[in-house]
Amino acid sequence: MSSNSAIRVEHVRKVYDGHGKSFPVFEDVSFEVKKGEFLAVVGPTGCGKTTLINLVAGLDRPQAGNIYVDGVNITKLPEDVVSKLRRRKLGVVFQVSNLIPSLTVYENLELPLVFLGMSRDERRRRVEEVLESFWISNYVHRKVATLSVGENRMVSYARAMISDPEILLLDEPTDFLDPLTEDMMVASFKGKILKGKTLLATTHRRKMAKLADRVINLKKKLP
Ligand SMILES: Nc1ncnc2c1ncn2[C@@H]1O[C@H](COP(=O)(O)OP(=O)(O)OP(=O)(O)O)[C@@H](O)[C@H]1O
Ligand SMILES: [Mg+2]
């Protein structure tokens, strides 16, 4: 594998099991995202976009195949090692928010930095910097539970960026945003904030797919 590979998905098979039945999502998916590249994944509802993001984030495991993140085969690593690698290298914006509703925006953004062992002053500087970059400094002391769905999405995006990860995984990141905020987020993908970063983003939106360096189309598997 070349050293400029950020993500490599190799012959991945994913099947969900439940109630004695198996639900195949994909049989054999392969693709690569080079460092600094922006790859969009499109496809109809239920084709496996979120499943793919979870697999690349190491939150779920495939039945077959290999997934490499920055050259490391995450399918072969124990869970705690995958978590560490995720904390260091990946930022994830989930389709369904994973922010902690009872905490403030500041506290949600600060938490990953606590795990990284940053001092309180460094954490404050970093949180303020990221909030400013995403035009959401005015939410800083709000409880996440009180945010609108679109506001929550912007905070999730800021949180994914908080540890300055090399790779961003974005699952329908512009859902729930008004057209202006959507434009600002999409523009940021090619802007200074994300310069040099690798992006893997699922989307239903043409605007975003247009901006990507490449687009792959996942087909829905018929039952
Ligand atoms: N835990 C699970 N158990 C069984 N089936 C599941 C599970 N999670 C997802 N699926 C099924 O796997 C398929 C892929 O789901 P996934 O959430 O990846 O789709 P998606 O492409 O992200 O859809 P959307 O565009 O609606 O977000 C769907 O048919 C879904 O019902
Ligand atoms: Mg999805």
Side-chain angles (χ1 to χ4, degrees), residues 109 125-134 158 161-162:
L109 264 66
R125 267 199 301 275
R126 179 66 187 155
V127 170
E128 282 170 2
E129 178 186 37
V130 171
L131 285 171
E132 235 167 72
S133 308
F134 291 96
M161 288 291 291
I162 197 76

Side-chain angles (χ1 to χ4, degrees), residues 8-157:
R8 189 178 167 87
V9 172
E10 223 175 53
H11 302 298
V12 161
R13 174 165 184 266
K14 179 65 195 170
V15 178
Y16 287 113
D17 286 311
H19 307 291
K21 272 180 81 177
S22 63
F23 302 92
V25 186
F26 25 75
E27 296 291 353
D28 186 357
V29 169
S30 298
F31 64 88
E32 186 173 37
V33 194
K34 301 255 186 269
K35 286 185 180 162
E37 194 180 21
F38 173 8
L39 181 75
V41 178
V42 300
T45 282
C47 71
K49 299 181 296 297
T50 297
T51 303
L52 190 65
I53 294 284
N54 288 338
L55 289 169
V56 174
L59 295 163
D60 196 1
R61 292 190 188 253
Q63 273 73 21
N66 295 301
I67 299 169
Y68 299 86
V69 173
D70 200 15
V72 177
N73 189 345
I74 61 164
T75 56
K76 302 283 188 272
L77 293 177
E79 207 127 315
D80 57 327
V81 182
V82 177
S83 303
K84 267 198 204 128
L85 183 134
R86 184 166 51 240
R87 232 175 264 151
R88 274 191 300 119
K89 297 213 181 267
L90 298 178
V92 190
V93 178
F94 294 94
Q95 188 170 16
V96 176
S97 168
N98 77 330
L99 298 173
I100 303 168
S102 57
L103 298 184
T104 64
V105 169
Y106 187 91
E107 289 161 343
N108 267 277
L109 264 66
E110 188 188 30
L111 209 52
L113 304 180
V114 174
F115 286 124
L116 290 174
M118 261 191 198
S119 74
R120 185 184 293 260
D121 277 353
E122 280 177 309
R123 297 200 302 260
R124 187 177 40 75
R125 267 199 301 275
R126 179 66 187 155
V127 170
E128 282 170 2
E129 178 186 37
V130 171
L131 285 171
E132 235 167 72
S133 308
F134 291 96
W135 320 279
I136 51 176
S137 301
N138 49 328
Y139 308 156
V140 63
H141 298 303
R142 291 270 298 277
K143 277 238 162 71
V144 161
T146 71
L147 297 176
S148 78
V149 179
E151 288 166 347
N152 187 303
R153 178 50 56 97
M154 289 306 287
V155 175
S156 299
Y157 184 33

